[in-house]
Amino acid sequence: MRDGCRRAKDRAADRKADRKAARKADWPARRAEWRAAEKARKARGEAPDYGSGPMGPPNAFTLLPWLLLGMGAISNVVHGQTPNPWIGALGLLVFNSLYITLVFRAFDKRAREAAATRWCLLALGAVTCALAGAYGGNWLLFFPLLGLAAGAVVRGRRMGQVMVGVSVLAGVIGGLREGWDVLGIVYGTFLSGLVTAAILALSETVRELRDTRQELARAAVDQERLRFSRDLHDLLGHTLSVIVVKSEAARRIAPRDLEAALGQVRDIETVGRQALTEIREAVTGYREASLAAELDRARNVLTAAGIEPLVRQSGPPLPPQAAALLGWVVREAATNTVRHSGAATCEIEVHGAAERVRLVITDDGRGVGSTPPGSGLTGLGERLAAAGGTLTSGPVPGGGFRVNAELPVEAGVGVEEGATP
């Protein structure tokens, strides 16, 4: 029989050693897998997943092993060293049930702040005082467990007051039962609650920061998508309008002057190639509209559409960012004039000053703006507002449509370097 027991113990020891060796052998692979997952999350712009790594954040299960502090009281009950053991056993059952309930509710904010949780904590305090006061000795170790539960449940400014009260209660009851020997229990009760509260508060802060970082990453992606969609709207709207206007011009003059019609076709080819270049630059995020270039393009497209352009520019040279923003306004306004106004003339005025620059674009057409509303001029208004400027547009009394843009000369503030305004 002894040999059989020895062999069973040896087999159990061998199985334990095999499991330990297997975990040790798998550790490098699991660590490499976790690091690869974290690297992939970082590449996607997501925050680290602290809950899935080898060392996750604290949870309810991390507070359960502290129940082993009550093993001394359980031993007293089992060995009959406690008066009225059935009452002691019932008290242990109630204490453990309340403690487990509290630590699991502590990690759910809604459950932690519920009134039922407060009542459970009060009940746990009453049971702890009753058991410690009735039996003393090892039963006083339930006060540090009460401190742990209080630290997990109570947060904020009331934490210090609650822990001082629990510690004083432990000192009074323990002092009546054991004298000065309970100072260690009082210290342990106070420290266990404060340390638990500090660790859990830090864990929540880290989790909130992680969520905030993920939200900021999503906002950055949405902002980039918005920028790209606006750029495509401005680029393709203008380019397609130029192509339509020049195609109509080529169709009209082809029967009379084939050479002039071929010139218009060559212009269409040039505009198409230029549009491809601009779209590639917009995709990479490096395109900046030039005010001088946009004014020249506006002259050409207005002339091709049969609209007489009048361009006036005064004032000192503008910084690149301010010129780029106004270039987008010129492009959008000229495109709208060609597509919607039916105007005969279009006047573009740029008035520069030391601090602010003003761009006014007026046509004598039907007084119709961007269609649909909000897709063009409204988006430009948001861009100018972000740079400290304004954009207003509307019909002119007596006929026509006017776009008025004002911008600080130092409009590069708030605009990312290298990004399309």
Side-chain angles (χ1 to χ4, degrees), residues 218-238:
R218 285 191 291 268
V221 172
D222 293 340
Q223 186 67 23
E224 181 63 17
R225 289 173 179 171
L226 179 61
R227 180 199 69 82
F228 185 65
S229 64
R230 285 173 173 175
D231 287 353
L232 284 183
H233 170 271
D234 295 341
L235 289 171
L236 293 181
H238 174 80

Side-chain angles (χ1 to χ4, degrees), residues 350-376:
V350 181
H351 302 285
E355 296 182 355
R356 297 183 70 85
V357 59
R358 183 183 181 192
L359 169 67
V360 181
I361 303 174
T362 308
D363 64 61
D364 59 354
R366 295 187 294 267
V368 180
S370 178
T371 304
S375 60

Side-chain angles (χ1 to χ4, degrees), residues 70 73 82 95 135 147 185 188 396 410:
T82 300
F95 181 90
Y135 300 118
I185 293 178
V396 178
E410 297 297 333

Side-chain angles (χ1 to χ4, degrees), residues 22-106:
R23 287 196 301 268
K24 187 175 181 180
D26 292 342
W27 171 251
R30 289 190 290 117
R31 183 174 57 184
E33 181 180 357
W34 178 74
R35 287 180 175 175
E38 288 302 301
K39 189 177 293 184
R41 291 176 64 86
K42 185 177 180 181
R44 294 194 300 268
E46 299 178 3
D49 186 5
Y50 297 106
S52 64
M55 295 293 291
N59 52 48
F61 292 100
T62 59
L63 298 180
L64 293 183
W66 292 101
L67 285 173
L68 295 175
L69 288 175
M71 288 300 296
I74 296 175
S75 176
N76 291 343
V77 172
V78 172
H79 292 90
Q81 299 174 359
T82 300
N84 300 318
W86 291 107
I87 297 178
L90 180 61
L92 286 173
L93 178 61
V94 173
F95 181 90
N96 290 336
S97 301
L98 290 173
Y99 179 85
I100 293 172
T101 301
L102 284 171
V103 296
F104 274 97
R105 294 177 69 89

